[in-house]
Amino acid sequence: MNHLKRKLTMSFNIILFVSVYFFSITQSNARSWRVGQIPNGNKFGCLNCHNSSYGGSLNSFGFSVKSVVGRGSKATFWNSVLAAKDSDGDGSSNGEELGDPDGDGKSTDGAEITNPSNPESKPQKPVEPVLPELDIKKSKSPFSFNFKTVKGQKYEVQATNDFSMWDFVDTIEGTGLEMIFTDYREALFLRQFYRLKVKN
Ligand SMILES: [Ca+2]
Ligand SMILES: [Ca+2]
């Protein structure tokens, strides 16, 4: 009887070991391919998205990632929308923290990499905002200009005739493509100067 009991216990231990072994393979595979898709993701590994280095519950950046990935999907998920968000609310966007401010998948050389889910961890150096370049066509009426946008980023068009006061003209939401602004207002002044403000 005792012999049979010992045998059963041994079999149970083997089954338990095999289950734990397979579970850990599944977990580590899941971690490695998700981390590999985040710019400079290896610096914080699983702690980019989880509260523990072993995985488990999601942190603030993990929930942002979850909102753009399909369950079990291996498709690329890093993009300009995820980069523009500030998941941990520390004032630095996820892209700024991970060294890819515009979310195009190309990291900035020498960027300081901080944790996008930890408000205590943020770049100490001032980060240059991504400023759009205005492409102005000459002798065009009504006046218009083109500019490259970051998807989800809002831009405010302002105008002045004397540089003492800037008037709000329009708000444009970026699509990730080049966009055009046209001023359809009645021309009241001989000259108008325009500027584009990147809104936070
Ligand atoms: Ca942040
Ligand atoms: Ca942070």
Side-chain angles (χ1 to χ4, degrees):
M1 189 66 183
N2 275 350
H3 179 68
L4 182 66
K5 219 171 164 184
R6 220 173 22 246
K7 239 178 145 179
L8 280 171
T9 311
M10 270 180 69
S11 309
F12 179 71
N13 284 344
I14 288 167
I15 291 167
L16 197 65
F17 170 76
V18 170
S19 314
V20 169
Y21 182 70
F22 278 123
F23 181 70
S24 53
I25 285 179
T26 314
Q27 286 294 300
S28 63
N29 281 349
R31 284 199 292 268
S32 63
W33 56 261
R34 284 266 197 262
V35 168
Q37 289 191 1
I38 301 168
N40 301 295
N42 286 338
K43 174 154 184 187
F44 295 103
C46 299
L47 287 172
N48 283 296
C49 294
H50 298 273
N51 291 314
S52 152
S53 55
Y54 299 105
S57 61
L58 294 174
N59 57 32
S60 55
F61 181 68
F63 279 111
S64 298
V65 169
K66 193 183 172 192
S67 69
V68 294
V69 297
R71 192 175 170 83
S73 168
K74 291 197 175 182
T76 308
F77 60 83
W78 177 250
N79 59 22
S80 55
V81 176
L82 205 49
K85 273 188 187 170
D86 176 13
S87 296
D88 58 6
D90 63 3
S92 296
S93 70
N94 297 328
E96 288 166 350
E97 299 213 47
L98 292 166
D100 178 15
D102 59 4
D104 66 356
K106 292 174 198 151
S107 301
T108 309
D109 286 342
E112 186 185 354
I113 308 305
T114 57
N115 192 322
S117 62
N118 179 0
E120 302 295 315
S121 164
K122 61 179 182 178
Q124 296 304 304
K125 295 177 209 159
V127 178
E128 291 293 322
V130 183
L131 295 176
E133 276 182 33
L134 306 189
D135 177 16
I136 300 167
K137 314 283 182 221
K138 283 182 183 166
S139 311
K140 210 177 160 202
S141 185
F143 174 80
S144 68
F145 61 79
N146 294 34
F147 62 102
K148 197 171 178 304
T149 63
V150 171
K151 193 175 178 185
Q153 175 69 61
K154 286 192 173 129
Y155 303 88
E156 188 171 300
V157 182
Q158 299 177 345
T160 185
N161 66 306
D162 58 6
F163 289 100
S164 65
M165 208 166 93
W166 288 89
D167 295 321
F168 165 83
V169 182
D170 198 6
T171 298
I172 294 173
E173 183 160 344
T175 58
L177 302 171
E178 189 167 288
M179 294 183 76
I180 184 167
F181 161 75
T182 303
D183 194 348
Y184 291 107
R185 298 175 306 161
E186 188 186 352
L188 298 175
F189 302 100
L190 279 176
R191 294 185 302 181
Q192 276 283 281
F193 301 90
Y194 296 84
R195 71 182 181 187
L196 197 62
K197 196 175 169 191
V198 177
K199 294 188 81 179
N200 291 325

Coordinates of all heavy atoms in Angstrom, one line a residue, residues 9-71:
T9 N 2.6 9.6 -5.5 CA 3.2 10.9 -5.1 C 4.3 11.3 -6.1 O 4.4 12.4 -6.6 CB 3.8 10.9 -3.7 OG1 2.9 10.3 -2.9 CG2 4.2 12.3 -3.2
M10 N 5.1 10.3 -6.5 CA 6.2 10.6 -7.5 C 5.6 11.1 -8.8 O 6.1 12.0 -9.4 CB 7.1 9.4 -7.7 CG 8.2 9.4 -6.7 SD 9.2 7.9 -6.9 CE 10.0 8.2 -8.5
S11 N 4.6 10.3 -9.3 CA 4.0 10.7 -10.6 C 3.4 12.1 -10.5 O 3.5 12.8 -11.5 CB 2.8 9.7 -10.9 OG 3.3 8.4 -10.8
F12 N 2.7 12.4 -9.4 CA 2.1 13.7 -9.3 C 3.2 14.8 -9.4 O 3.0 15.8 -10.0 CB 1.4 13.8 -7.9 CG 0.8 15.1 -7.7 CD1 -0.3 15.6 -8.4 CD2 1.3 16.0 -6.7 CE1 -0.9 16.8 -8.2 CE2 0.7 17.3 -6.5 CZ -0.4 17.6 -7.3
N13 N 4.4 14.6 -8.7 CA 5.5 15.5 -8.7 C 6.0 15.7 -10.1 O 6.3 16.8 -10.5 CB 6.6 15.1 -7.8 CG 6.3 15.3 -6.4 OD1 5.3 16.0 -6.1 ND2 7.0 14.6 -5.5
I14 N 6.1 14.6 -10.9 CA 6.5 14.8 -12.3 C 5.6 15.6 -13.1 O 6.0 16.5 -13.8 CB 6.8 13.4 -12.9 CG1 8.0 12.7 -12.2 CG2 7.0 13.5 -14.4 CD1 8.2 11.3 -12.5
I15 N 4.3 15.3 -12.9 CA 3.2 16.0 -13.7 C 3.3 17.5 -13.3 O 3.3 18.4 -14.2 CB 1.8 15.5 -13.4 CG1 1.7 14.1 -14.1 CG2 0.7 16.4 -14.0 CD1 0.5 13.3 -13.6
L16 N 3.4 17.8 -12.0 CA 3.5 19.2 -11.6 C 4.7 19.9 -12.1 O 4.6 21.0 -12.7 CB 3.6 19.2 -10.0 CG 3.2 20.5 -9.4 CD1 1.8 20.8 -9.6 CD2 3.5 20.4 -7.9
F17 N 5.8 19.2 -12.2 CA 7.1 19.8 -12.7 C 6.9 20.1 -14.2 O 7.2 21.2 -14.6 CB 8.2 18.8 -12.5 CG 9.5 19.2 -13.2 CD1 10.3 20.2 -12.7 CD2 9.8 18.6 -14.4 CE1 11.4 20.6 -13.3 CE2 11.0 19.0 -15.0 CZ 11.8 20.0 -14.5
V18 N 6.3 19.1 -14.9 CA 6.2 19.4 -16.3 C 5.2 20.5 -16.6 O 5.5 21.4 -17.4 CB 5.6 18.1 -17.0 CG1 5.2 18.3 -18.4 CG2 6.7 17.0 -17.0
S19 N 4.1 20.7 -15.8 CA 3.2 21.8 -16.0 C 3.9 23.1 -15.7 O 3.8 24.0 -16.5 CB 2.0 21.7 -15.0 OG 1.5 20.4 -15.1
V20 N 4.7 23.2 -14.6 CA 5.3 24.4 -14.3 C 6.4 24.8 -15.3 O 6.5 25.9 -15.8 CB 6.0 24.3 -12.9 CG1 6.9 25.5 -12.6 CG2 4.9 24.2 -11.8
Y21 N 7.0 23.8 -15.9 CA 8.1 24.0 -16.9 C 7.5 24.6 -18.1 O 7.9 25.6 -18.6 CB 8.7 22.6 -17.2 CG 9.8 22.7 -18.2 CD1 11.0 23.4 -17.8 CD2 9.7 22.2 -19.4 CE1 12.1 23.5 -18.8 CE2 10.7 22.3 -20.4 CZ 11.9 22.9 -20.0 OH 12.9 23.0 -20.9
F22 N 6.3 24.0 -18.6 CA 5.7 24.5 -19.8 C 5.2 25.9 -19.6 O 5.2 26.8 -20.4 CB 4.6 23.6 -20.3 CG 5.1 22.4 -21.0 CD1 4.8 21.1 -20.7 CD2 5.8 22.6 -22.2 CE1 5.3 20.0 -21.4 CE2 6.3 21.5 -22.9 CZ 6.0 20.2 -22.5
F23 N 4.6 26.1 -18.4 CA 4.0 27.5 -18.0 C 5.1 28.5 -18.1 O 4.9 29.6 -18.7 CB 3.4 27.4 -16.6 CG 2.8 28.7 -16.2 CD1 1.6 29.1 -16.8 CD2 3.4 29.5 -15.2 CE1 1.1 30.3 -16.4 CE2 2.8 30.7 -14.9 CZ 1.7 31.1 -15.4
S24 N 6.3 28.2 -17.6 CA 7.4 29.2 -17.6 C 7.9 29.5 -19.0 O 8.2 30.6 -19.4 CB 8.5 28.8 -16.7 OG 8.9 27.6 -17.0
I25 N 7.9 28.4 -19.9 CA 8.3 28.7 -21.3 C 7.3 29.6 -22.0 O 7.7 30.6 -22.6 CB 8.3 27.3 -22.1 CG1 9.6 26.5 -21.6 CG2 8.4 27.6 -23.6 CD1 9.7 25.2 -22.3
T26 N 6.0 29.4 -21.8 CA 5.0 30.2 -22.4 C 5.2 31.7 -21.9 O 5.1 32.6 -22.7 CB 3.6 29.7 -22.0 OG1 3.6 28.3 -22.1 CG2 2.5 30.3 -22.9
Q27 N 5.4 31.8 -20.6 CA 5.5 33.2 -20.0 C 6.7 33.9 -20.6 O 6.6 35.0 -21.0 CB 5.6 33.1 -18.5 CG 4.3 32.8 -17.8 CD 3.3 33.9 -18.0 OE1 3.6 35.0 -17.5 NE2 2.2 33.6 -18.6
S28 N 7.9 33.2 -20.6 CA 9.1 33.9 -21.1 C 9.0 34.2 -22.6 O 9.5 35.2 -23.0 CB 10.3 33.1 -20.7 OG 10.3 31.9 -21.4
N29 N 8.4 33.3 -23.4 CA 8.3 33.6 -24.8 C 7.4 34.9 -25.0 O 7.7 35.7 -25.8 CB 7.6 32.4 -25.5 CG 8.6 31.3 -25.8 OD1 9.8 31.5 -25.6 ND2 8.1 30.2 -26.1
A30 N 6.3 34.9 -24.3 CA 5.4 36.1 -24.4 C 6.1 37.4 -24.1 O 6.0 38.3 -24.8 CB 4.2 35.9 -23.5
R31 N 6.9 37.3 -23.0 CA 7.7 38.5 -22.6 C 8.6 38.9 -23.6 O 8.7 40.1 -24.0 CB 8.4 38.3 -21.3 CG 7.5 38.3 -20.1 CD 8.3 38.4 -18.8 NE 9.2 37.3 -18.5 CZ 8.8 36.3 -17.8 NH1 7.6 36.3 -17.2 NH2 9.7 35.3 -17.5
S32 N 9.4 38.0 -24.2 CA 10.5 38.4 -25.1 C 10.0 39.0 -26.3 O 10.5 40.0 -26.8 CB 11.4 37.2 -25.4 OG 10.6 36.2 -26.0
W33 N 8.9 38.5 -26.9 CA 8.5 39.2 -28.2 C 7.8 40.5 -28.0 O 7.9 41.4 -28.8 CB 7.8 38.2 -29.2 CG 6.6 37.5 -28.7 CD1 6.5 36.2 -28.2 CD2 5.3 38.0 -28.6 NE1 5.2 35.9 -27.9 CE2 4.4 37.0 -28.1 CE3 4.7 39.2 -28.9 CZ2 3.1 37.1 -27.9 CZ3 3.3 39.4 -28.7 CH2 2.5 38.3 -28.2
R34 N 7.1 40.6 -26.9 CA 6.5 41.9 -26.6 C 7.6 43.0 -26.3 O 7.5 44.1 -26.9 CB 5.6 41.9 -25.4 CG 4.2 41.2 -25.7 CD 3.1 42.2 -26.0 NE 1.8 41.6 -25.9 CZ 1.1 41.1 -26.9 NH1 1.6 41.1 -28.1 NH2 -0.1 40.6 -26.7
V35 N 8.5 42.6 -25.5 CA 9.6 43.6 -25.1 C 10.4 44.0 -26.3 O 10.7 45.1 -26.5 CB 10.5 42.9 -24.0 CG1 11.8 43.7 -23.8 CG2 9.7 42.8 -22.7
G36 N 10.6 43.0 -27.2 CA 11.4 43.3 -28.4 C 10.7 44.3 -29.4 O 11.4 44.8 -30.2
Q37 N 9.4 44.5 -29.2 CA 8.8 45.5 -30.1 C 8.7 46.9 -29.6 O 8.3 47.8 -30.2 CB 7.3 45.0 -30.4 CG 7.3 43.7 -31.2 CD 5.9 43.4 -31.7 OE1 5.0 44.1 -31.4 NE2 5.7 42.4 -32.5
I38 N 9.2 47.0 -28.3 CA 9.2 48.4 -27.7 C 10.6 49.0 -27.9 O 11.6 48.3 -27.7 CB 8.9 48.3 -26.2 CG1 7.6 47.6 -25.9 CG2 9.0 49.6 -25.5 CD1 7.3 47.2 -24.5
P39 N 10.7 50.2 -28.4 CA 12.0 50.8 -28.6 C 12.8 50.8 -27.3 O 12.3 51.2 -26.3 CB 11.8 52.2 -29.0 CG 10.3 52.3 -29.4 CD 9.6 51.2 -28.7
N40 N 14.0 50.2 -27.3 CA 14.9 50.1 -26.1 C 14.2 49.4 -25.0 O 14.5 49.6 -23.8 CB 15.3 51.5 -25.6 CG 16.1 52.3 -26.7 OD1 17.2 51.9 -27.1 ND2 15.5 53.4 -27.2
G41 N 13.3 48.5 -25.4 CA 12.5 47.7 -24.4 C 13.3 46.9 -23.5 O 12.9 46.6 -22.3
N42 N 14.5 46.5 -23.9 CA 15.4 45.6 -23.1 C 15.9 46.2 -21.8 O 16.2 45.5 -20.9 CB 16.6 45.1 -23.9 CG 16.1 44.0 -24.9 OD1 15.0 43.4 -24.7 ND2 16.9 43.8 -25.9
K43 N 15.9 47.6 -21.8 CA 16.4 48.2 -20.6 C 15.6 47.9 -19.3 O 16.1 47.6 -18.3 CB 16.5 49.7 -20.8 CG 16.9 50.4 -19.5 CD 17.5 51.8 -19.7 CE 18.0 52.3 -18.3 NZ 18.5 53.6 -18.4
F44 N 14.2 47.9 -19.5 CA 13.4 47.6 -18.3 C 12.7 46.2 -18.5 O 12.0 45.8 -17.5 CB 12.4 48.7 -18.1 CG 13.0 50.0 -17.7 CD1 13.1 51.0 -18.6 CD2 13.5 50.2 -16.4 CE1 13.8 52.2 -18.3 CE2 14.1 51.3 -16.1 CZ 14.3 52.4 -17.0
G45 N 12.8 45.6 -19.6 CA 12.3 44.3 -19.8 C 10.8 44.2 -19.5 O 10.0 45.1 -19.9
C46 N 10.4 43.2 -18.7 CA 9.0 43.0 -18.3 C 8.4 44.2 -17.5 O 7.2 44.4 -17.5 CB 8.8 41.8 -17.5 SG 9.3 40.3 -18.5
L47 N 9.3 45.0 -16.9 CA 8.8 46.1 -16.0 C 8.3 47.3 -16.9 O 7.8 48.2 -16.3 CB 9.9 46.6 -15.1 CG 10.2 45.6 -13.9 CD1 11.5 46.1 -13.2 CD2 9.1 45.5 -13.0
N48 N 8.5 47.2 -18.2 CA 7.9 48.2 -19.1 C 6.3 48.1 -18.9 O 5.7 49.1 -18.9 CB 8.2 48.0 -20.5 CG 9.6 48.4 -20.9 OD1 9.9 49.6 -20.8 ND2 10.5 47.5 -21.3
C49 N 5.8 46.9 -18.9 CA 4.4 46.7 -18.9 C 3.8 46.1 -17.7 O 2.6 46.1 -17.5 CB 4.0 45.8 -20.1 SG 4.4 46.5 -21.7
H50 N 4.6 45.5 -16.8 CA 4.1 44.8 -15.6 C 4.7 45.4 -14.4 O 5.7 46.0 -14.3 CB 4.5 43.3 -15.7 CG 3.9 42.6 -16.9 ND1 2.7 42.0 -16.9 CD2 4.4 42.4 -18.1 CE1 2.5 41.5 -18.1 NE2 3.5 41.7 -18.9
N51 N 3.9 45.1 -13.3 CA 4.4 45.6 -12.0 C 5.5 44.8 -11.4 O 6.2 45.2 -10.4 CB 3.2 45.6 -11.0 CG 2.2 46.7 -11.4 OD1 2.6 47.8 -11.7 ND2 0.9 46.3 -11.4
S52 N 5.8 43.6 -12.0 CA 6.8 42.7 -11.5 C 7.7 42.3 -12.6 O 7.2 42.2 -13.8 CB 6.2 41.5 -10.8 OG 7.1 40.4 -10.8
S53 N 9.0 42.0 -12.3 CA 9.9 41.5 -13.4 C 9.5 40.1 -13.8 O 10.1 39.6 -14.8 CB 11.3 41.6 -12.9 OG 11.5 40.9 -11.8
Y54 N 8.6 39.5 -13.1 CA 8.1 38.1 -13.5 C 6.9 38.2 -14.3 O 6.3 37.2 -14.7 CB 7.9 37.3 -12.3 CG 9.1 37.1 -11.5 CD1 9.3 37.8 -10.3 CD2 10.2 36.3 -11.9 CE1 10.5 37.7 -9.5 CE2 11.3 36.1 -11.1 CZ 11.5 36.8 -10.0 OH 12.6 36.7 -9.2
G55 N 6.4 39.4 -14.7 CA 5.1 39.5 -15.4 C 4.0 39.8 -14.5 O 4.1 40.6 -13.5
G56 N 2.8 39.2 -14.7 CA 1.7 39.4 -13.8 C 0.9 40.6 -14.2 O 0.7 40.9 -15.3
S57 N 0.4 41.3 -13.1 CA -0.5 42.4 -13.3 C 0.1 43.6 -14.2 O 1.3 43.8 -14.1 CB -1.0 43.0 -12.0 OG 0.1 43.5 -11.2
L58 N -0.7 44.2 -14.9 CA -0.2 45.3 -15.8 C -0.1 46.6 -15.1 O -0.9 46.9 -14.2 CB -1.2 45.4 -17.0 CG -1.4 44.3 -18.0 CD1 -2.5 44.6 -19.0 CD2 -0.1 44.0 -18.7
N59 N 0.9 47.4 -15.5 CA 1.0 48.8 -15.0 C 0.4 49.7 -16.0 O -0.2 49.3 -17.0 CB 2.5 49.1 -14.7 CG 3.4 48.9 -16.0 OD1 2.9 49.1 -17.1 ND2 4.6 48.5 -15.8
S60 N 0.6 51.1 -15.8 CA -0.1 52.0 -16.7 C 0.3 51.9 -18.1 O -0.5 52.0 -19.0 CB 0.2 53.5 -16.2 OG 1.6 53.7 -16.1
F61 N 1.6 51.7 -18.4 CA 2.0 51.6 -19.8 C 1.5 50.2 -20.4 O 1.1 50.2 -21.5 CB 3.6 51.6 -19.9 CG 4.1 51.5 -21.3 CD1 3.9 52.5 -22.3 CD2 4.8 50.4 -21.7 CE1 4.3 52.4 -23.6 CE2 5.3 50.3 -23.0 CZ 5.0 51.3 -24.0
G62 N 1.5 49.2 -19.5 CA 1.0 47.9 -19.9 C -0.5 48.0 -20.4 O -0.9 47.4 -21.4
F63 N -1.3 48.8 -19.7 CA -2.7 49.0 -20.1 C -2.8 49.8 -21.5 O -3.6 49.5 -22.3 CB -3.5 49.7 -19.0 CG -4.0 48.8 -17.9 CD1 -3.4 48.9 -16.7 CD2 -4.9 47.8 -18.2 CE1 -3.8 48.0 -15.7 CE2 -5.3 46.9 -17.2 CZ -4.8 47.0 -16.0
S64 N -1.8 50.8 -21.7 CA -1.8 51.5 -22.9 C -1.5 50.5 -24.1 O -2.1 50.6 -25.1 CB -0.8 52.6 -22.9 OG -1.1 53.5 -21.9
V65 N -0.5 49.6 -23.8 CA -0.1 48.6 -24.8 C -1.3 47.7 -25.1 O -1.7 47.4 -26.2 CB 1.1 47.8 -24.4 CG1 1.3 46.6 -25.3 CG2 2.3 48.7 -24.4
K66 N -2.0 47.3 -24.0 CA -3.1 46.4 -24.1 C -4.2 47.0 -25.0 O -4.9 46.2 -25.7 CB -3.7 46.0 -22.7 CG -4.6 44.9 -22.7 CD -5.2 44.7 -21.4 CE -6.3 43.6 -21.4 NZ -7.1 43.6 -20.2
S67 N -4.3 48.3 -25.0 CA -5.4 48.9 -25.8 C -5.1 48.9 -27.3 O -6.0 49.2 -28.1 CB -5.6 50.4 -25.3 OG -4.5 51.2 -25.7
V68 N -3.9 48.6 -27.7 CA -3.6 48.6 -29.1 C -3.1 47.3 -29.6 O -2.9 47.1 -30.8 CB -2.5 49.7 -29.4 CG1 -3.0 51.1 -29.2 CG2 -1.2 49.5 -28.7
V69 N -3.0 46.3 -28.7 CA -2.6 44.9 -29.2 C -3.8 44.0 -29.1 O -4.6 44.0 -28.2 CB -1.4 44.3 -28.5 CG1 -0.2 45.1 -28.7 CG2 -1.7 44.1 -27.0
G70 N -3.8 43.1 -30.1 CA -4.8 42.0 -30.0 C -4.3 40.9 -29.1 O -3.1 40.7 -28.9
R71 N -5.2 40.2 -28.5 CA -4.8 39.1 -27.5 C -4.0 38.1 -28.3 O -4.5 37.5 -29.3 CB -6.1 38.5 -26.9 CG -5.8 37.6 -25.8 CD -7.1 37.1 -25.2 NE -6.9 36.1 -24.2 CZ -6.6 36.3 -22.9 NH1 -6.5 37.5 -22.5 NH2 -6.3 35.3 -22.1

